[in-house]
Amino acid sequence: MKRLFIISILVTMSAFCVAQTRITIEDCYSKARENYPLIRKLGLVEKTKDYNVKNLNKGYLPQLMFSSKVTYQSDVTKIPIDLEAIGLQGVEIPHLSQDQYGITLDLNQTIWDGGSIKSAKNAVKSSYEVERNNIEVNLYSVNERINQIYFGILLADAQIEQNRLLKIFLTNSYEQVESYVKNGIANQSDLDAIKVDIIKAEQNETDFITVKKSYISILSKFTGFDIDFNTEFVKPAFDRPNAGNVDRRPEISLFDAQVMKYRSDYSRLNSGLYPHFSLFVTGGYGKPGLDMFENKFSPYYIAGIKLNWNIGNFYSLKSQRKLIRNNIDMVENQREMFLFNTDIDIAQKEFIIDKYINQMKYDDEIIRLKTSIRKASEAKIANGTISGTDLMQAINDEHAAIQSKITHEIQLLLSIYDFKYVLNDF
């Protein structure tokens, strides 16, 4: 049993390792979102919203307040009657002590608050939606950076492979021309010309490898993947999306959330115009109690219905409503600007895609002709009619044509995925 358990763990680890040797751009999108610090902030924002709503709900619960006081007064109220003057001897009217004590417990229960708590909860929720969508916009922008990095790696991969093939070809050409030099058909300078290009190919290989390592390092930080230099980066299909609306872009949801937030401010504003009703009970113990003529400690209570109405809220109502309306208009203006700029961006992206598609129509024919010229140059150097420099020019022209096709393919893929980014069509 223990052996089977160990084997299962090894198989799982092996499968995980295998999975890490092959990466798609979709994997990078997903892992970059999970790994990005903002995703943790998203959870914190949601918790904050929940806490605030719970606290507001407690406004419906009875509110208790305990208070106590001890005071000393320089004077107290007395009845200004001289009893001796009217023939009442030995009679004294009681009066309060200058030191007074009191302990009270107040209980308030809201009956109707004009919708203040409800509108406050809606405001908290709408503010959360604004912040959540703002985070989603920032998270979504990571996809554009992933595109640049991922296709940069694909281009470096293709350049490394093509450079490897060029080095093999140059090495074979060097050996062939070397035999021509021995037979007196070619000169040492012809051999040196090929040697120069072999060194250049090795130099280019170093550059391509450095670029790929740099991109891999950045992608690892974005995704949290442990990416090896030999990891296979899957080339996506040339799947051009259809142009459509941009309703799925997170920016649109952000604009909607902002408008809803300002509309919730309307509700909060209106709730402040209504009176608030509540029940209250106050219980106390002190000296004096409610009977001011009894200068002794006694318990007491007061119960009733209370109305609070802040009439001052009407003073700024008109200007507050105008301010909210102005804020909504600003958001709608930002939405129009975003849609306008996005429409232009869509047109540009489609133009760029069409440009690379048209360029690629000629790449294969150019390569075919350059290859034909290179083969002819090989025959001519074998006959001693051209120099090694002329041969290398033909070889380099063929290589440049192949590199141009590789670049066009990656640029087309990048353009397609940039277009998908604009449409949120991943």
Side-chain angles (χ1 to χ4, degrees):
M1 186 69 180
K2 183 177 179 181
R3 183 180 178 186
L4 289 175
F5 177 72
I6 295 174
I7 292 174
S8 65
I9 291 178
L10 292 174
V11 169
T12 303
M13 293 178 60
S14 176
F16 178 78
C17 294
V18 170
Q20 295 303 302
T21 61
R22 190 174 188 272
I23 294 177
T24 66
I25 193 168
E26 288 76 18
D27 294 334
C28 294
Y29 291 148
S30 176
K31 293 298 293 183
R33 178 182 174 86
E34 294 175 9
N35 194 55
Y36 210 62
L38 276 176
I39 199 69
R40 291 189 285 276
K41 183 180 178 182
L42 190 60
L44 296 175
V45 168
E46 185 171 4
K47 286 182 180 179
T48 302
K49 183 261 296 183
D50 292 338
Y51 294 149
N52 286 333
V53 170
K54 287 179 181 178
N55 288 334
L56 288 170
N57 282 331
K58 293 175 182 178
Y60 293 115
L61 300 175
Q63 305 298 309
L64 287 171
M65 185 176 69
F66 174 82
S67 63
S68 64
K69 65 178 181 178
V70 177
T71 63
Y72 182 86
Q73 300 177 195
S74 61
D75 200 2
V76 293
T77 303
K78 299 176 182 177
I79 297 177
I81 299 176
D82 188 355
L83 296 180
E84 291 182 358
I86 61 176
L88 296 175
Q89 299 295 328
V91 178
E92 184 178 351
I93 299 176
H95 61 83
L96 297 177
S97 301
Q98 288 176 281
D99 58 318
Q100 298 182 9
Y101 308 88
I103 297 174
T104 60
L105 181 64
D106 296 299
L107 173 65
N108 284 276
Q109 173 62 60
T110 298
I111 300 174
W112 188 61
D113 64 353
S116 295
I117 294 178
K118 181 180 179 181
S119 62
K121 289 196 297 182
N122 289 335
V124 168
K125 292 175 181 177
S126 60
S127 295
Y128 160 73
E129 286 298 323
V130 170
E131 193 161 0
R132 183 183 68 81
N133 281 284
N134 191 44
I135 292 173
E136 288 291 347
V137 169
N138 291 326
L139 286 172
Y140 184 72
S141 66
V142 175
N143 291 346
E144 188 174 27
R145 300 177 70 178
I146 292 296
N147 287 347
Q148 299 293 330
I149 298 168
Y150 192 87
F151 289 107
I153 292 174
L154 287 183
L155 178 59
D157 264 340
Q159 289 173 330
I160 290 171
E161 176 60 20
Q162 176 56 31
N163 195 71
R164 183 185 69 82
L165 297 174
L166 176 63
K167 284 173 61 180
I168 293 174
F169 184 82
L170 289 174
T171 301
N172 293 336
S173 297
Y174 184 88
E175 293 173 354
Q176 190 173 16
V177 172
E178 189 175 33
S179 65
Y180 296 158
V181 171
K182 291 178 180 179
N183 294 326
I185 300 175
N187 300 318
Q188 181 63 37
S189 60
D190 299 324
L191 203 58
D192 292 340
I194 300 175
K195 185 64 176 179
V196 167
D197 279 344
I198 291 176
I199 295 173
K200 285 182 179 179
E202 291 175 349
Q203 186 181 50
N204 290 336
E205 181 181 30
T206 301
D207 291 340
F208 296 148
I209 290 174
T210 301
V211 169
K212 181 179 177 180
K213 286 181 177 179
S214 176
Y215 277 131
I216 285 177
S217 176
I218 297 171
L219 189 63
S220 296
K221 287 181 171 59
F222 266 106
T223 61
F225 278 136
D226 185 12
I227 304 175
D228 186 79
F229 185 82
N230 296 319
T231 297
E232 178 188 357
F233 294 87
V234 179
K235 183 187 291 186
F238 292 90
D239 184 15
R240 178 175 183 170
N242 295 321
N245 57 49
V246 293
D247 291 343
R248 288 183 293 181
R249 282 288 292 268
E251 290 87 347
I252 299 299
S253 297
L254 175 59
F255 296 138
D256 291 339
Q258 288 173 333
V259 170
M260 290 303 297
K261 177 184 179 299
Y262 289 127
R263 286 178 179 168
S264 71
D265 289 341
Y266 268 127
S267 298
R268 295 190 69 180
L269 194 61
N270 292 334
S271 67
L273 304 176
Y274 298 106
H276 294 190
F277 294 92
S278 62
L279 295 173
F280 73 93
V281 177
T282 299
Y285 182 79
K287 187 184 80 168
L290 294 180
D291 188 348
M292 303 297 290
F293 290 100
E294 291 191 7
N295 189 27
K296 63 180 182 179
F297 284 94
S298 60
Y300 64 90
Y301 72 89
I302 304 173
I305 298 177
K306 184 164 54 178
L307 180 148
N308 291 323
W309 196 354
N310 187 357
I311 306 298
N313 288 336
F314 286 93
Y315 300 156
S316 60
L317 177 62
K318 188 175 181 180
S319 61
Q320 289 289 340
R321 284 178 173 174
K322 285 183 178 180
L323 178 61
I324 294 172
R325 182 66 258 174
N326 184 67
N327 289 335
I328 291 176
D329 289 340
M330 289 178 63
V331 173
E332 294 298 345
N333 180 256
Q334 291 174 356
R335 186 201 302 269
E336 290 177 7
M337 289 178 59
F338 172 77
L339 293 174
F340 178 78
N341 292 330
T342 303
D343 284 341
I344 294 176
D345 201 15
I346 287 174
Q348 290 177 333
K349 292 291 189 290
E350 289 195 294
F351 172 79
I352 293 173
I353 290 174
D354 290 336
K355 181 186 75 171
Y356 288 127
I357 289 175
N358 290 329
Q359 286 179 340
M360 289 179 64
K361 291 178 181 178
Y362 303 100
D363 283 334
D364 289 334
E365 180 62 15
I366 292 173
I367 292 172
R368 186 187 69 81
L369 294 173
K370 292 293 185 181
T371 301
S372 177
I373 294 171
R374 186 261 303 164
K375 290 180 178 179
S377 297
E378 288 176 336
K380 289 178 182 179
I381 197 171
N383 295 327
T385 56
I386 63 171
S387 66
T389 302
D390 295 328
L391 173 62
M392 291 317 305
Q393 181 64 50
I395 292 175
N396 287 332
D397 286 346
E398 180 189 25
H399 174 68
I402 296 173
Q403 287 283 18
S404 180
K405 179 183 178 180
I406 291 171
T407 302
H408 289 161
E409 286 181 348
I410 301 302
Q411 287 174 332
L412 175 58
L413 279 172
L414 176 58
S415 300
I416 288 173
Y417 272 77
D418 281 346
F419 191 29
K420 288 185 176 184
Y421 173 83
V422 174
L423 300 175
N424 193 7
D425 186 25
F426 292 109

